[in-house]
Amino acid sequence: MSTGSESTGSDAQVTRESLARRVLVMGASGKTGRALTGALAARGFRVRAAVRSPASTETVYAAGASEVAVLDLATGAGLDEALAGAWAVYHLAPNVHPDEVGMARRVVAAAARQGGQRLVYHSVLHPDDASMPHHLRKAQAEEVVRAGGVPWTVLRPAAYHQNLLPAALAGELAVPYSLDAPFSNVDLDDVAQVAVTVLTEPGHEGEAYDLAGPEVLSVRQMASQASEVLGRRVTAVKTDRRAWEEGPGAALPEGARRDLLAMFESYDRGGLVGGSAWLWGRLPTTWAEAVAAARNTP
Ligand SMILES: NC(=O)c1ccc[n+]([C@@H]2O[C@H](COP(=O)([O-])OP(=O)(O)OC[C@H]3O[C@@H](n4cnc5c(N)ncnc54)[C@H](OP(=O)(O)O)[C@@H]3O)[C@@H](O)[C@H]2O)c1
């Protein structure tokens, strides 16, 4: 007879009861949110996908969401409704958002009002790196999460392989920072796998995990490896930073542009390298493996 808490067979920690519980995913239509939504759905969890714009509904259903919550992290509108009935919450702020700390405050306060759902916060590798203001905002947001009175876990991912995969497939890695700076990039699908684990299994409360890939590579080395995997030339090109400011950077809000310029300068000095928690039970995905997988994805 089913007790409602027996093993599914594939994973002793995943119970029928937990599968029926909703996980609220913030920023579900973005790069990270889509990967996490897909990973949760693939394991049978119900995802309540939080978006700002109703126009993003189709995107999150395509990623695997079961339901959608429209909310504004910048004002808190819709947060209480979105959290009601959610068993766990994955919080991430939109990329380089100036109000990352305020967003964390609103989410933590709403979770506390609901009685304290499990909260996982998506930070970044080296949040205390003072050369990058958007990293420091994540360090402050982590403090808010730790002090909020709800059960918490923090994930600190390195830069994703996926940031550079489309460019590698297109034959040119063009970046406005040093081609020889070192990076221990991580695969976004590996990050999503760890996120599912810490959201849905016990034993991760009060932990902050760095998540980096298994190797240190420069963009020049990534281009060379991509050439080998794809069997055609992939070049590495350092683009002019002023051209970036006047081109892609000009379309961004001023604060985001400043944050990214500071990041490029920091990358020039030392890239972004770190160790990793080992929560996969296998080696995390290498850059060459990510390129090979992307080549085979329609
Ligand atoms: N890229 C990396 O290598 C990397 C590495 C480590 C950490 N991170 C961190 O990962 C986080 C997510 O990055 P991402 O690139 O995946 O995100 P993103 O694409 O910038 O996220 C956009 C998402 O946020 C939602 N959103 C925007 N403004 C909102 C608001 N005011 N209220 C509620 N939702 C709002 C959007 O909803 P709509 O579609 O409805 O607008 C969309 O779902 C960032 O904090 C970033 O710093 C990234």
Side-chain angles (χ1 to χ4, degrees), residues 245-269:
E245 272 185 80
E246 289 165 3
L252 299 171
E254 198 192 332
R257 188 165 56 248
R258 267 202 315 268
D259 286 344
L260 291 176
L261 284 168
M263 184 182 85
F264 299 151
E265 278 167 26
S266 177
Y267 283 1
D268 274 347
R269 287 192 296 273

Side-chain angles (χ1 to χ4, degrees), residues 124-127 155-159 183-186 208-216 272-280 284:
V124 73
L125 190 66
H126 304 321
L155 297 186
R156 296 176 179 150
F183 294 90
S184 49
N185 290 358
V186 67
Y209 297 123
D210 289 356
L211 298 177
E215 61 199 337
V216 177
L272 187 65
V273 175
S276 188
W278 290 81
L279 296 166
W280 292 284

Side-chain angles (χ1 to χ4, degrees), residues 25-30 49-57 60 68-75 77 94 97 103:
V25 176
M26 298 298 180
S29 57
V51 294
R52 174 186 48 178
S53 160
S56 300
T57 300
V60 295
V68 174
V70 177
L71 56 82
D72 191 347
L73 289 166
T75 62
H97 198 284
M103 288 178 166

